[in-house]
Amino acid sequence: MVKSGMKNHEKSLVFYAQVIPGAEDIAVGEIEQVLGGEIRKIAKGVVVFRLDGPDPDVLELKTTEDVFLYAWGTDALSFRAKDLEDIQKWTSQQPDWKHLLAVHQQIREIPKGRPSFHVVTQMDGKHGYFRKDAQKYFLRGLEKVIPSTWRQVEENASAEFWLTIDGATAICGLRLSDRRMRHREYKRAHRPASLRPSLAAGMVRLAELKPYHRVLDPMCGVGTLLAEYQNYAEQWRVPRPPAIGGDLEMNAVRDAQANLRGLGANHWFNWDATHLPLNGESIHRVICNPPFGKQISPGVNLPLFYSALVAEFYRVLLPQGKMVLLVSDHETLRGACEKEHFHFEKKIKTKVLGQTAFISVWKKR
Ligand SMILES: C[S@@+](CC[C@H](N)C(=O)[O-])C[C@H]1O[C@@H](n2cnc3c(N)ncnc32)[C@H](O)[C@@H]1O
């Protein structure tokens, strides 16, 4: 993050989005396509972008976890205590907070009642100070900015001031999104292995979908991928084939049905994904998050299981059809895909529940 040259003015506003590490490029694609944003900077888990004005559609982004109005940023933290004075100084002197708070009010619903604020400091990496020290100096910087009548609260604040430190990089801003961006309102039923919606939305974007595509998630869990597919497909405003979802566990199928009630047309099945009751060459896209090695029953051999799955996906896919898969053991999946002569297109390294995982895209020759 370069401090100079990125300022928020009347006509041009700088924002940043926090994304799941690895999904930065997918978020870039969405920001450019949906908002016409100009990308200014990509760092681990962060995309900085510029828009022509206070566009409320920033809150409609699907591949991001949170969106902020940019206040200041740096790539040059020293890891020493000197950073703390800088954090205080940059916070109090650099941004035009009055302008930022006015734009914040234009974009975000503000809770009624006496104004309040909440301060969040995130810190990753080894620094010569603690997160609570960074928070203290951040707050000192803010004291000169926030009107004295505002209360500091833990929840439901009128304004949230965030500072995120990752190694030598720090970025500070006013949060525009709330929990609905990362949690989604459709998700009433949860299961431990259920996907983060923003990552599911990213997988949907990687599938390069067309309105006529028949889309299948054969191991749907609570249906996150198909819910994100349906949200994505809304933009087309033309009829589309029902999406198809299924799971070995009937309870998962019920949860997926409940979560997707009112979200597009879907057909649900309680099935074994290695023996799908679907015609050969009938599906355009498989988007799926098979169980990771740790999640499968003891006694199931992962290479054999993935081979059986991939062979079945190959059978049901149309020629040139694609699959987007998320697994932790990419090498085992790659072995299975190469056996079926799938053409490898792309791999993205990310994290799922703290574990390294890979999204890969494959095309049927
Ligand atoms: C990692 S979870 C999928 C999570 C899902 N993407 C979500 O967001 O909820 C894997 C799912 O595969 C299902 N599963 C495991 N073996 C299966 C099989 N042979 N056929 C179909 N589903 C299976 C599990 O019941 C589980 O719901």
Side-chain angles (χ1 to χ4, degrees):
M1 245 63 60
V2 186
K3 278 186 281 143
S4 58
M6 272 205 236
K7 275 222 158 218
N8 270 318
H9 304 287
E10 283 299 328
K11 291 236 165 71
S12 157
L13 285 173
V14 184
F15 297 79
Y16 66 96
Q18 287 191 342
V19 303
I20 292 179
E24 296 86 0
D25 287 345
I26 306 175
V28 163
E30 188 186 20
I31 290 164
E32 287 177 336
Q33 188 223 330
V34 174
L35 302 173
E38 180 198 317
I39 304 302
R40 301 293 295 268
K41 168 97 192 170
I42 305 170
K44 191 179 104 201
V46 177
V47 178
V48 184
F49 59 100
R50 195 193 67 78
L51 297 180
D52 285 339
D55 186 348
D57 282 353
V58 288
L59 300 181
E60 301 302 320
L61 290 170
K62 299 287 185 250
T63 61
T64 56
E65 295 265 290
D66 264 308
V67 177
F68 303 81
L69 271 169
Y70 174 93
W72 61 262
T74 180
D75 280 330
L77 289 181
S78 67
F79 296 85
R80 294 195 298 272
K82 152 188 183 303
D83 292 344
L84 299 172
E85 302 287 346
D86 286 339
I87 287 169
Q88 180 178 339
K89 187 176 74 201
W90 293 332
T91 304
S92 64
Q93 292 175 8
Q94 281 221 356
D96 179 351
W97 285 110
K98 220 169 144 195
H99 174 51
L100 290 183
L101 283 162
V103 175
H104 174 260
Q105 283 215 359
Q106 280 175 274
I107 297 181
R108 207 198 129 126
E109 282 167 48
I110 306 294
K112 293 203 169 49
R114 186 174 147 199
S116 56
F117 70 97
H118 180 56
V119 178
V120 174
T121 305
Q122 301 171 315
M123 195 163 109
D124 207 6
K126 281 202 169 147
H127 299 79
Y129 43 89
F130 295 110
R131 190 181 61 83
K132 68 174 184 348
D133 302 321
Q135 165 110 347
K136 189 163 102 190
Y137 280 78
F138 181 35
L139 227 124
R140 279 190 195 166
L142 288 170
E143 271 164 16
K144 299 177 184 140
V145 173
I146 301 171
S148 57
T149 50
W150 288 28
R151 286 173 304 137
Q152 190 172 0
V153 294
E154 285 308 307
E155 276 182 11
N156 238 356
S158 330
E160 288 184 28
F161 298 83
W162 282 51
L163 169 65
T164 301
I165 299 172
D166 188 354
T169 297
I171 192 162
C172 167
L174 257 180
R175 190 186 188 207
L176 292 168
S177 48
D178 60 24
R179 64 181 304 285
R180 285 172 291 182
M181 178 168 271
R182 56 174 74 195
H183 293 295
R184 308 285 206 264
E185 286 175 290
Y186 66 75
K187 226 168 169 178
R188 292 171 284 261
H190 291 272
R191 294 183 147 241
S194 122
L195 261 185
R196 294 270 278 271
S198 74
L199 201 58
M203 290 174 67
V204 166
R205 291 188 79 84
L206 287 173
E208 296 182 340
L209 292 159
K210 296 276 183 293
Y212 62 84
H213 280 167
R214 278 188 297 277
V215 175
L216 164 70
D217 180 358
M219 312 174 96
C220 65
V222 302
T224 321
L225 283 161
L226 290 184
E228 293 304 321
Y229 159 70
Q230 294 292 5
N231 275 335
Y232 179 80
E234 278 297 299
Q235 63 177 312
W236 294 322
R237 299 175 194 282
V238 294
R240 52 185 186 270
I244 305 170
D247 201 283
L248 192 60
E249 282 197 39
M250 192 55 213
N251 283 341
V253 179
R254 284 199 196 101
D255 287 345
Q257 272 178 306
N259 281 343
L260 274 90
R261 196 160 294 136
L263 273 186
N266 305 285
H267 288 165
W268 300 109
F269 297 87
N270 178 209
W271 62 22
D272 177 353
T274 60
H275 295 91
L276 296 170
L278 300 174
N279 289 336
E281 303 197 348
S282 60
I283 297 292
H284 296 87
R285 294 291 185 265
V286 172
I287 310 176
C288 181
N289 158 214
F292 289 6
K294 277 189 196 158
Q295 295 162 347
I296 61 170
S297 322
V300 175
N301 175 305
L302 194 68
L304 287 180
F305 181 51
Y306 279 6
S307 289
L309 279 179
V310 168
E312 191 61 351
F313 299 169
Y314 192 87
R315 184 185 71 77
V316 298
L317 274 171
L318 283 148
Q320 310 298 313
K322 288 189 185 186
M323 54 184 196
V324 181
L325 303 179
L326 172 71
V327 297
S328 63
D329 188 345
H330 178 74
E331 284 311 298
T332 301
L333 178 72
R334 187 168 67 87
C337 292
E338 286 177 356
K339 234 191 307 171
E340 295 299 329
H341 303 293
F342 267 108
H343 172 71
F344 170 76
E345 288 202 332
K346 195 178 271 187
K347 180 175 86 169
I348 289 170
K349 186 175 173 189
T350 184
K351 284 240 153 101
V352 171
L353 300 168
Q355 193 183 346
T356 300
F358 299 88
I359 300 170
S360 53
V361 183
W362 303 86
K363 186 169 175 180
K364 179 168 172 173
R365 286 175 203 268

